[in-house]
PDB file of all heavy atoms in Angstrom:
ATOM      1  N   ILE A 124      87.423  92.664 117.668  1.00 96.00           N
ATOM      2  CA  ILE A 124      86.082  92.127 117.412  1.00 96.00           C
ATOM      3  C   ILE A 124      85.477  91.597 118.707  1.00 96.00           C
ATOM      4  O   ILE A 124      84.338  91.928 119.052  1.00 96.00           O
ATOM      5  CB  ILE A 124      86.110  91.039 116.314  1.00 96.00           C
ATOM      6  CG1 ILE A 124      86.520  91.655 114.971  1.00 96.00           C
ATOM      7  CG2 ILE A 124      84.748  90.351 116.195  1.00 96.00           C
ATOM      8  CD1 ILE A 124      86.689  90.656 113.842  1.00 96.00           C
ATOM      9  N   LYS A 125      86.239  90.803 119.421  1.00 97.00           N
ATOM     10  CA  LYS A 125      85.739  90.226 120.677  1.00 97.00           C
ATOM     11  C   LYS A 125      85.445  91.323 121.709  1.00 97.00           C
ATOM     12  O   LYS A 125      84.401  91.306 122.367  1.00 97.00           O
ATOM     13  CB  LYS A 125      86.773  89.244 121.226  1.00 97.00           C
ATOM     14  CG  LYS A 125      86.318  88.465 122.439  1.00 97.00           C
ATOM     15  CD  LYS A 125      87.358  87.441 122.842  1.00 97.00           C
ATOM     16  CE  LYS A 125      86.906  86.674 124.061  1.00 97.00           C
ATOM     17  NZ  LYS A 125      87.955  85.777 124.551  1.00 97.00           N
ATOM     18  N   GLN A 126      86.350  92.285 121.839  1.00 97.00           N
ATOM     19  CA  GLN A 126      86.143  93.371 122.804  1.00 97.00           C
ATOM     20  C   GLN A 126      84.918  94.203 122.448  1.00 97.00           C
ATOM     21  O   GLN A 126      84.135  94.575 123.326  1.00 97.00           O
ATOM     22  CB  GLN A 126      87.385  94.270 122.859  1.00 97.00           C
ATOM     23  CG  GLN A 126      88.582  93.603 123.481  1.00 97.00           C
ATOM     24  CD  GLN A 126      89.858  94.442 123.326  1.00 97.00           C
ATOM     25  OE1 GLN A 126      89.895  95.400 122.565  1.00 97.00           O
ATOM     26  NE2 GLN A 126      90.890  94.069 124.056  1.00 97.00           N
ATOM     27  N   SER A 127      84.746  94.483 121.178  1.00 97.00           N
ATOM     28  CA  SER A 127      83.604  95.265 120.729  1.00 97.00           C
ATOM     29  C   SER A 127      82.308  94.500 120.987  1.00 97.00           C
ATOM     30  O   SER A 127      81.323  95.058 121.474  1.00 97.00           O
ATOM     31  CB  SER A 127      83.752  95.582 119.239  1.00 97.00           C
ATOM     32  OG  SER A 127      82.656  96.306 118.763  1.00 97.00           O
ATOM     33  N   TYR A 128      82.308  93.218 120.696  1.00 97.00           N
ATOM     34  CA  TYR A 128      81.119  92.380 120.906  1.00 97.00           C
ATOM     35  C   TYR A 128      80.743  92.329 122.386  1.00 97.00           C
ATOM     36  O   TYR A 128      79.567  92.444 122.746  1.00 97.00           O
ATOM     37  CB  TYR A 128      81.370  90.963 120.374  1.00 97.00           C
ATOM     38  CG  TYR A 128      80.193  90.035 120.582  1.00 97.00           C
ATOM     39  CD1 TYR A 128      79.051  90.155 119.787  1.00 97.00           C
ATOM     40  CD2 TYR A 128      80.216  89.057 121.568  1.00 97.00           C
ATOM     41  CE1 TYR A 128      77.957  89.322 119.973  1.00 97.00           C
ATOM     42  CE2 TYR A 128      79.131  88.216 121.763  1.00 97.00           C
ATOM     43  CZ  TYR A 128      78.002  88.344 120.969  1.00 97.00           C
ATOM     44  OH  TYR A 128      76.920  87.519 121.160  1.00 97.00           O
ATOM     45  N   GLN A 129      81.741  92.190 123.240  1.00 97.00           N
ATOM     46  CA  GLN A 129      81.489  92.033 124.679  1.00 97.00           C
ATOM     47  C   GLN A 129      81.212  93.355 125.392  1.00 97.00           C
ATOM     48  O   GLN A 129      80.767  93.349 126.533  1.00 97.00           O
ATOM     49  CB  GLN A 129      82.680  91.323 125.347  1.00 97.00           C
ATOM     50  CG  GLN A 129      82.811  89.882 124.913  1.00 97.00           C
ATOM     51  CD  GLN A 129      84.063  89.197 125.453  1.00 97.00           C
ATOM     52  OE1 GLN A 129      85.017  89.853 125.886  1.00 97.00           O
ATOM     53  NE2 GLN A 129      84.070  87.878 125.417  1.00 97.00           N
ATOM     54  N   SER A 130      81.428  94.469 124.720  1.00 97.00           N
ATOM     55  CA  SER A 130      81.235  95.771 125.357  1.00 97.00           C
ATOM     56  C   SER A 130      79.751  96.060 125.553  1.00 97.00           C
ATOM     57  O   SER A 130      78.886  95.425 124.949  1.00 97.00           O
ATOM     58  CB  SER A 130      81.871  96.874 124.517  1.00 97.00           C
ATOM     59  OG  SER A 130      81.010  97.219 123.439  1.00 97.00           O
ATOM     60  N   ASP A 131      79.462  97.069 126.383  1.00 96.00           N
ATOM     61  CA  ASP A 131      78.086  97.502 126.616  1.00 96.00           C
ATOM     62  C   ASP A 131      77.563  98.410 125.507  1.00 96.00           C
ATOM     63  O   ASP A 131      76.403  98.825 125.551  1.00 96.00           O
ATOM     64  CB  ASP A 131      77.992  98.264 127.954  1.00 96.00           C
ATOM     65  CG  ASP A 131      78.140  97.326 129.143  1.00 96.00           C
ATOM     66  OD1 ASP A 131      77.908  96.111 128.990  1.00 96.00           O
ATOM     67  OD2 ASP A 131      78.506  97.814 130.233  1.00 96.00           O
ATOM     68  N   MET A 132      78.400  98.727 124.550  1.00 96.00           N
ATOM     69  CA  MET A 132      77.973  99.624 123.467  1.00 96.00           C
ATOM     70  C   MET A 132      76.826  99.006 122.680  1.00 96.00           C
ATOM     71  O   MET A 132      76.782  97.797 122.489  1.00 96.00           O
ATOM     72  CB  MET A 132      79.146  99.934 122.540  1.00 96.00           C
ATOM     73  CG  MET A 132      80.189 100.816 123.192  1.00 96.00           C
ATOM     74  SD  MET A 132      81.506 101.244 122.044  1.00 96.00           S
ATOM     75  CE  MET A 132      80.597 102.139 120.797  1.00 96.00           C
ATOM     76  N   LYS A 133      75.919  99.842 122.223  1.00 96.00           N
ATOM     77  CA  LYS A 133      74.760  99.383 121.445  1.00 96.00           C
ATOM     78  C   LYS A 133      75.070  99.326 119.953  1.00 96.00           C
ATOM     79  O   LYS A 133      74.309  98.743 119.188  1.00 96.00           O
ATOM     80  CB  LYS A 133      73.553 100.309 121.674  1.00 96.00           C
ATOM     81  CG  LYS A 133      73.135 100.411 123.129  1.00 96.00           C
ATOM     82  CD  LYS A 133      72.737  99.069 123.682  1.00 96.00           C
ATOM     83  CE  LYS A 133      72.356  99.167 125.151  1.00 96.00           C
ATOM     84  NZ  LYS A 133      72.579  97.927 125.877  1.00 96.00           N
ATOM     85  N   VAL A 134      76.183  99.954 119.546  1.00 97.00           N
ATOM     86  CA  VAL A 134      76.614  99.921 118.151  1.00 97.00           C
ATOM     87  C   VAL A 134      78.049  99.399 118.081  1.00 97.00           C
ATOM     88  O   VAL A 134      78.793  99.440 119.057  1.00 97.00           O
ATOM     89  CB  VAL A 134      76.534 101.317 117.475  1.00 97.00           C
ATOM     90  CG1 VAL A 134      75.106 101.799 117.376  1.00 97.00           C
ATOM     91  CG2 VAL A 134      77.409 102.324 118.179  1.00 97.00           C
ATOM     92  N   ALA A 135      78.377  98.900 116.895  1.00 98.00           N
ATOM     93  CA  ALA A 135      79.738  98.445 116.613  1.00 98.00           C
ATOM     94  C   ALA A 135      80.009  98.826 115.167  1.00 98.00           C
ATOM     95  O   ALA A 135      79.128  99.341 114.477  1.00 98.00           O
ATOM     96  CB  ALA A 135      79.850  96.942 116.818  1.00 98.00           C
ATOM     97  N   GLY A 136      81.207  98.553 114.704  1.00 98.00           N
ATOM     98  CA  GLY A 136      81.490  98.877 113.318  1.00 98.00           C
ATOM     99  C   GLY A 136      82.943  98.686 112.956  1.00 98.00           C
ATOM    100  O   GLY A 136      83.691  98.007 113.667  1.00 98.00           O
TER     101      GLY A 136
END
Side-chain angles (χ1 to χ4, degrees):
I124 295 175
K125 186 175 180 186
Q126 291 171 347
S127 179
Y128 179 74
Q129 292 174 342
S130 80
D131 288 338
M132 290 183 62
K133 302 300 178 207
V134 295

